[in-house]
Each structure stands twice: as C-alpha cells, then as structure tokens.
Amino acid sequence: DGFLPFDDTVEQASRYGVESASKAVSLAKSGWLPTLSFSAGIGSNYYTTSGYTSENFSKQMRHNFSKSLGFTLNIPIFDGFSTRNSVRKAKVQESNTAGLHPGCRRRQAQSVKRSRMRGN
C-alpha cells in the first residue's frame, strides 16, 4: 500500500527506542529505593594437628558443622548525587529519543509520497 518494509522497521525501532529510554529513567530512579539482601551459608571447620590425635573426619564434620542466615537492608541516604545525575542523564536521553520519534513518521510519509510520485 505504498509503505516500504524498511520504513516500518525504522518506525518500530524508533518506538522501541522511546520505550527503552523511558524504562532507563525508571531504572535510574531505582537508585533512591532501599534494597534488601538475603544470604545463607553452611560450613565445617575440619582440622588436623600434627603430632596429636584428632577426631576422624566424619566426627569433626558433625561437631564443627555451622549454619548461617543473614539479611542486609541498605537505605540510600547520600550517594554523592550519583543517582540524581543518572536520572538527569536518562531524562535527557529520553527527551532526545522522543524528539527523534516524530521525525521517523515524517520521513516515512515523505518516502511514501516520493514512492507514489514515481508511480511505484
């Protein structure tokens, strides 16, 4: 119908670029959110000392077996304006990308117009 597949691809790529830039802003803003981490561990403290008799391996594994669980809560207070600067950069990129998007539509319309004028 006069639309070239390449122009549709460019239009779609432009749309994805705008969506990606918008998500980048959200990702940058996540630097202001607290984070909760979880850790778990198991271990054993098997040892031998030369010249001394010690428990065999299986007994030491049972007697020196250890388990641990941990939670860490990080609350961002001040990060040297790193998050603020990241958000600003992402917003600039978003506005630049959004500004290019209408241009793709205009170029596509011009391409269709040229194609029709040529009789294709």
Coordinates of all heavy atoms in Angstrom, one line a residue, residues 5-56:
P5 N 8.8 -1.8 3.7 CA 9.1 -2.5 4.9 C 10.2 -1.9 5.7 O 10.2 -1.9 7.0 CB 9.6 -3.9 4.4 CG 9.0 -4.0 3.0 CD 8.9 -2.6 2.5
F6 N 11.2 -1.3 5.1 CA 12.3 -0.6 5.8 C 11.7 0.5 6.7 O 12.1 0.7 7.8 CB 13.3 -0.1 4.8 CG 14.4 0.7 5.5 CD1 15.4 0.0 6.2 CD2 14.4 2.1 5.5 CE1 16.4 0.7 6.8 CE2 15.4 2.8 6.1 CZ 16.4 2.1 6.8
D7 N 10.8 1.3 6.1 CA 10.2 2.4 6.9 C 9.5 1.9 8.1 O 9.5 2.5 9.2 CB 9.3 3.3 6.0 CG 10.1 4.1 5.0 OD1 11.3 4.3 5.2 OD2 9.5 4.4 3.9
D8 N 8.7 0.8 8.0 CA 8.0 0.2 9.1 C 9.0 -0.2 10.2 O 8.8 -0.1 11.4 CB 7.2 -1.0 8.7 CG 6.0 -0.5 7.9 OD1 5.6 0.6 8.0 OD2 5.4 -1.4 7.1
T9 N 10.2 -0.8 9.7 CA 11.2 -1.3 10.7 C 11.8 -0.1 11.4 O 12.0 -0.1 12.6 CB 12.3 -2.0 9.9 OG1 11.7 -3.1 9.2 CG2 13.3 -2.6 10.9
V10 N 12.1 1.0 10.7 CA 12.6 2.2 11.3 C 11.6 2.8 12.3 O 12.0 3.1 13.4 CB 13.0 3.3 10.2 CG1 13.3 4.6 10.9 CG2 14.1 2.7 9.4
E11 N 10.4 2.8 12.0 CA 9.3 3.3 12.9 C 9.2 2.5 14.1 O 9.2 3.0 15.2 CB 8.0 3.3 12.1 CG 6.8 3.7 13.0 CD 6.8 5.2 13.3 OE1 7.4 6.0 12.6 OE2 6.1 5.6 14.3
Q12 N 9.3 1.1 13.9 CA 9.2 0.2 15.1 C 10.4 0.4 16.0 O 10.3 0.4 17.2 CB 9.1 -1.2 14.6 CG 8.8 -2.2 15.7 CD 8.6 -3.6 15.2 OE1 8.9 -3.9 14.1 NE2 8.0 -4.4 16.0
A13 N 11.6 0.5 15.4 CA 12.8 0.7 16.1 C 12.8 2.0 16.9 O 13.2 2.1 18.0 CB 14.0 0.7 15.2
S14 N 12.2 3.0 16.3 CA 12.1 4.3 17.0 C 11.2 4.2 18.2 O 11.5 4.7 19.3 CB 11.5 5.3 16.0 OG 11.3 6.6 16.7
R15 N 10.1 3.5 18.0 CA 9.1 3.2 19.1 C 9.8 2.5 20.3 O 9.7 2.8 21.5 CB 7.9 2.4 18.7 CG 6.7 3.2 18.5 CD 5.4 2.4 18.4 NE 5.6 1.2 17.5 CZ 5.3 1.2 16.2 NH1 4.9 2.2 15.6 NH2 5.5 0.0 15.6
Y16 N 10.6 1.4 19.9 CA 11.3 0.7 20.9 C 12.3 1.5 21.6 O 12.6 1.4 22.8 CB 12.0 -0.5 20.3 CG 11.0 -1.7 20.0 CD1 11.2 -2.5 18.9 CD2 9.8 -1.9 20.7 CE1 10.3 -3.5 18.5 CE2 9.0 -2.9 20.4 CZ 9.2 -3.7 19.3 OH 8.4 -4.7 19.0
G17 N 13.0 2.4 20.9 CA 13.9 3.3 21.5 C 13.3 4.3 22.5 O 13.9 4.5 23.6
V18 N 12.1 4.8 22.2 CA 11.4 5.6 23.2 C 11.0 4.8 24.4 O 11.2 5.3 25.5 CB 10.1 6.2 22.5 CG1 9.2 6.9 23.5 CG2 10.5 7.2 21.4
E19 N 10.5 3.6 24.2 CA 10.1 2.7 25.4 C 11.4 2.4 26.2 O 11.3 2.5 27.5 CB 9.5 1.4 24.9 CG 8.1 1.6 24.3 CD 7.6 0.2 23.8 OE1 8.0 -0.8 24.3 OE2 6.8 0.3 22.9
S20 N 12.5 2.1 25.6 CA 13.7 1.8 26.3 C 14.2 3.0 27.1 O 14.7 2.8 28.2 CB 14.8 1.4 25.2 OG 16.0 1.2 25.9
A21 N 14.2 4.2 26.5 CA 14.6 5.4 27.2 C 13.7 5.6 28.4 O 14.2 6.1 29.5 CB 14.6 6.6 26.3
S22 N 12.4 5.4 28.3 CA 11.5 5.6 29.4 C 11.8 4.6 30.5 O 11.8 5.0 31.7 CB 10.1 5.4 28.9 OG 9.2 5.5 30.0
K23 N 12.1 3.4 30.2 CA 12.5 2.4 31.2 C 13.8 2.7 31.8 O 14.1 2.4 33.0 CB 12.5 1.0 30.6 CG 11.1 0.5 30.3 CD 11.1 -0.9 29.7 CE 9.7 -1.2 29.1 NZ 8.9 -2.1 29.8
A24 N 14.7 3.3 31.1 CA 16.0 3.7 31.6 C 15.9 4.8 32.7 O 16.6 4.8 33.7 CB 16.9 4.2 30.5
V25 N 14.9 5.7 32.6 CA 14.6 6.7 33.6 C 14.1 6.0 34.9 O 14.6 6.3 36.0 CB 13.5 7.7 33.1 CG1 13.1 8.6 34.2 CG2 14.1 8.5 32.0
S26 N 13.2 5.0 34.7 CA 12.7 4.3 35.9 C 13.8 3.5 36.6 O 13.9 3.5 37.8 CB 11.6 3.3 35.5 OG 10.5 3.9 34.9
L27 N 14.7 2.9 35.8 CA 15.8 2.2 36.3 C 16.7 3.1 37.1 O 17.2 2.8 38.2 CB 16.6 1.5 35.2 CG 17.8 0.6 35.7 CD1 17.3 -0.5 36.5 CD2 18.5 0.1 34.4
A28 N 17.0 4.3 36.6 CA 17.9 5.2 37.2 C 17.2 5.7 38.6 O 17.9 5.9 39.6 CB 18.1 6.4 36.3
K29 N 15.9 5.9 38.6 CA 15.2 6.3 39.8 C 15.3 5.2 40.9 O 15.1 5.5 42.1 CB 13.8 6.6 39.5 CG 13.6 7.9 38.8 CD 12.1 8.2 38.5 CE 11.9 9.6 37.8 NZ 10.5 9.8 37.6
S30 N 15.5 4.0 40.5 CA 15.5 2.9 41.5 C 16.7 3.0 42.4 O 16.8 2.4 43.5 CB 15.6 1.5 40.8 OG 16.8 1.3 40.2
G31 N 17.7 3.9 42.1 CA 18.8 4.1 43.0 C 18.4 4.8 44.3 O 19.1 4.8 45.3
W32 N 17.2 5.4 44.3 CA 16.7 6.0 45.5 C 16.0 5.0 46.4 O 15.6 5.4 47.5 CB 15.8 7.2 45.2 CG 16.5 8.4 44.7 CD1 17.7 9.0 45.2 CD2 16.2 9.2 43.6 NE1 18.0 10.1 44.5 CE2 17.1 10.2 43.5 CE3 15.2 9.2 42.6 CZ2 17.1 11.2 42.5 CZ3 15.2 10.1 41.7 CH2 16.1 11.2 41.6
L33 N 15.7 3.8 46.0 CA 14.9 2.9 46.7 C 15.8 2.0 47.6 O 17.0 1.7 47.3 CB 14.2 1.9 45.8 CG 13.2 2.6 44.8 CD1 12.6 1.5 43.9 CD2 12.1 3.2 45.6
P34 N 15.3 1.6 48.8 CA 16.1 0.7 49.7 C 16.2 -0.7 49.1 O 15.3 -1.0 48.3 CB 15.3 0.7 51.0 CG 14.0 1.3 50.7 CD 14.1 2.0 49.4
T35 N 17.2 -1.4 49.4 CA 17.4 -2.8 49.0 C 17.5 -3.7 50.1 O 18.0 -3.4 51.2 CB 18.6 -2.9 48.1 OG1 19.8 -2.5 48.8 CG2 18.5 -2.1 46.8
L36 N 16.9 -4.9 50.0 CA 17.0 -5.9 51.0 C 17.7 -7.1 50.4 O 17.3 -7.6 49.3 CB 15.6 -6.3 51.5 CG 15.5 -7.4 52.5 CD1 16.2 -7.0 53.8 CD2 14.1 -7.8 52.8
S37 N 18.8 -7.6 51.0 CA 19.5 -8.8 50.5 C 19.5 -9.9 51.5 O 19.3 -9.6 52.7 CB 21.0 -8.4 50.3 OG 21.1 -7.3 49.5
F38 N 19.6 -11.1 51.0 CA 19.5 -12.3 51.9 C 20.7 -13.1 51.6 O 21.1 -13.3 50.4 CB 18.2 -13.1 51.6 CG 18.2 -14.4 52.2 CD1 17.9 -14.6 53.5 CD2 18.4 -15.6 51.4 CE1 17.9 -15.8 54.1 CE2 18.3 -16.8 52.0 CZ 18.1 -17.0 53.3
S39 N 21.3 -13.8 52.6 CA 22.4 -14.7 52.4 C 22.2 -15.9 53.3 O 21.6 -15.8 54.4 CB 23.7 -14.0 52.7 OG 23.8 -13.5 54.1
A40 N 22.8 -17.0 52.9 CA 22.8 -18.2 53.7 C 24.1 -18.9 53.5 O 24.7 -18.8 52.4 CB 21.6 -19.1 53.3
G41 N 24.5 -19.7 54.5 CA 25.7 -20.4 54.3 C 25.8 -21.6 55.3 O 25.1 -21.7 56.3
I42 N 26.6 -22.6 54.8 CA 26.8 -23.8 55.7 C 28.3 -24.1 55.6 O 29.0 -23.7 54.6 CB 26.0 -25.0 55.2 CG1 26.3 -25.4 53.8 CG2 24.5 -24.8 55.5 CD1 25.7 -26.7 53.4
G43 N 28.9 -24.7 56.6 CA 30.3 -24.9 56.6 C 30.7 -25.9 57.7 O 29.9 -26.3 58.5
S44 N 31.9 -26.3 57.6 CA 32.5 -27.1 58.7 C 33.9 -26.7 58.9 O 34.6 -26.1 58.0 CB 32.5 -28.6 58.2 OG 33.2 -29.4 59.1
N45 N 34.4 -26.9 60.1 CA 35.7 -26.5 60.5 C 36.6 -27.7 60.8 O 36.9 -28.0 61.9 CB 35.6 -25.6 61.7 CG 36.9 -24.7 61.8 OD1 37.7 -24.7 60.9 ND2 37.0 -24.1 63.0
Y46 N 36.9 -28.5 59.7 CA 37.7 -29.7 59.9 C 39.2 -29.3 60.0 O 39.7 -28.4 59.3 CB 37.5 -30.6 58.7 CG 38.4 -31.8 58.7 CD1 38.1 -32.9 59.6 CD2 39.6 -31.9 57.9 CE1 38.9 -34.0 59.6 CE2 40.4 -33.0 58.0 CZ 40.1 -34.1 58.8 OH 40.9 -35.2 58.9
Y47 N 39.9 -29.9 61.0 CA 41.3 -29.6 61.1 C 42.1 -30.8 61.7 O 41.5 -31.6 62.3 CB 41.5 -28.4 62.0 CG 41.0 -28.5 63.4 CD1 41.9 -29.0 64.4 CD2 39.7 -28.2 63.7 CE1 41.4 -29.2 65.7 CE2 39.2 -28.4 65.0 CZ 40.1 -28.9 66.0 OH 39.6 -29.1 67.3
T48 N 43.3 -30.8 61.4 CA 44.2 -31.8 62.0 C 45.4 -31.1 62.5 O 45.9 -30.0 62.0 CB 44.7 -32.9 60.9 OG1 45.4 -32.2 59.9 CG2 43.5 -33.6 60.4
T49 N 46.0 -31.6 63.5 CA 47.2 -31.1 64.1 C 48.3 -32.2 64.1 O 48.0 -33.3 64.6 CB 47.0 -30.6 65.6 OG1 45.8 -29.7 65.6 CG2 48.2 -29.9 66.1
S50 N 49.4 -31.9 63.6 CA 50.5 -32.9 63.5 C 51.0 -33.3 64.9 O 51.1 -32.4 65.8 CB 51.6 -32.5 62.6 OG 52.5 -31.8 63.3
G51 N 51.1 -34.5 65.1 CA 51.6 -35.0 66.4 C 50.5 -35.3 67.4 O 50.8 -35.8 68.5
Y52 N 49.3 -34.9 67.1 CA 48.2 -35.1 68.1 C 47.1 -35.9 67.4 O 46.9 -35.9 66.2 CB 47.5 -33.7 68.5 CG 48.4 -32.9 69.3 CD1 49.2 -31.8 68.7 CD2 48.6 -33.0 70.7 CE1 50.0 -31.0 69.4 CE2 49.4 -32.2 71.4 CZ 50.1 -31.2 70.8 OH 50.9 -30.4 71.5
T53 N 46.5 -36.7 68.2 CA 45.4 -37.5 67.6 C 44.1 -36.6 67.6 O 43.9 -35.9 68.6 CB 45.1 -38.8 68.5 OG1 44.8 -38.4 69.8 CG2 46.3 -39.7 68.4
S54 N 43.4 -36.6 66.6 CA 42.2 -35.8 66.5 C 41.1 -36.7 66.0 O 41.3 -37.8 65.6 CB 42.4 -34.7 65.5 OG 42.8 -35.2 64.2
E55 N 39.9 -36.2 66.1 CA 38.7 -36.9 65.7 C 38.8 -37.2 64.2 O 39.4 -36.5 63.5 CB 37.4 -36.1 66.0 CG 37.2 -35.9 67.4 CD 35.9 -35.1 67.6 OE1 35.7 -34.1 66.9 OE2 35.1 -35.5 68.5
N56 N 38.2 -38.3 63.8 CA 38.2 -38.6 62.4 C 37.3 -37.5 61.7 O 36.6 -36.8 62.3 CB 37.7 -40.0 62.1 CG 36.3 -40.3 62.5 OD1 35.5 -39.4 62.6 ND2 36.0 -41.5 62.7

